[in-house]
Amino acid sequence: MHASEGVRAVAVARSVAASLGLPADEAAVLHDSNKLTLRLLPADTLARVAPADDQVAEFEVGLARRLTEAGCPVGALDPRVEPRGYERDGFVVTLWRYYEPAADEVTPAAFAAALARLHAGMRALDVPAPRYTERVERALQFLADHARTPGLAPADRALLQETLRSTAEWIAARGAPEQLLHGEPHPGNVLATAQGPLFIDWETCCRGPAEFDLAHAPEEVGAHYPGVDAELLRRCRLLVLAVITVWRWDREDLFPDGRRMGEEWLARIRAAAGRE
């Protein structure tokens, strides 16, 4: 969030928590992007704050509840308050259980096992969600809007467009089974806890092949996931790389060090296309 928005978001989170009987004298920022994630003390609750116009709180809360009830490895909502979004002063706050980080990092094998358990639970849910292809279409729209992505050289713009279209077509032709997915199970959305790896953040939930989720995980994880289609996973990794590269070239992107990352990822896509 922009600095001024962030200050307001912290104040709203503390106010909401306090009104629910969760004292929030201190607020530590754990993550700052389109949403602000805070640890509120002394109540020791996790608050996620999003602008009211850019949030899917009810969807996230509802899905998290169902996944928790199904025994999936997910971060739970704070049981001390009603599980819902709390809207105030232009923001929506959701409150979650805070987990102390485990001493050891999540191993690739543990990551893969937890993701397989999550996918098994998700297959049992009938939840409407967009297909992963909507993300591809949005990236293509950004590329078509030169004012939105002004820093891209013409050759790089064309390369990204070609990569997105051809890779998405290949994946569709593969005909792999599709299911409900986390959408972005990268390490930032996996907590290392005493209970094992727990997945968080459900706003990017979508439908697609399991390999699309695996494409967001560290490469070593794929070797431990049961029944993975290695070539499909490789293509999904390329597709995901192309999509997130477009986001880094968005003139409104606030990701820390985003332009440097965009340059690095473009170089990887050029290499994959043999255009170094």
Side-chain angles (χ1 to χ4, degrees), residues 40-161:
L40 302 179
L41 295 167
D44 214 9
T45 189
L46 190 80
R48 301 187 71 222
V49 193
D53 293 336
D54 184 28
Q55 55 83 28
V56 288
E58 296 307 319
F59 173 83
E60 287 192 275
V61 167
L63 180 59
R65 290 182 68 187
R66 294 179 67 179
L67 291 171
T68 300
E69 291 168 358
C72 293
V74 301
L77 292 148
D78 192 320
R80 296 171 290 181
V81 299
E82 182 184 351
R84 66 178 182 86
Y86 295 86
E87 187 165 352
R88 184 172 299 180
D89 297 335
F91 293 96
V92 174
V93 179
T94 51
L95 297 168
W96 306 77
R97 178 179 169 186
Y98 176 77
Y99 296 87
E100 285 288 348
D104 298 323
E105 294 183 356
V106 177
T107 66
F111 196 126
L115 187 59
R117 284 178 56 207
L118 177 66
H119 284 165
M122 287 185 133
R123 282 195 292 274
L125 299 182
D126 182 16
V127 176
R131 289 187 72 228
Y132 71 97
T133 50
E134 287 196 13
R135 220 169 290 182
V136 177
E137 290 303 319
R138 184 164 174 252
L140 286 168
Q141 290 170 8
F142 275 39
L143 290 172
D145 185 351
H146 290 229
R148 187 71 187 252
T149 50
L152 275 170
D156 291 330
R157 187 182 304 275
L159 173 62
L160 286 168
Q161 290 170 325

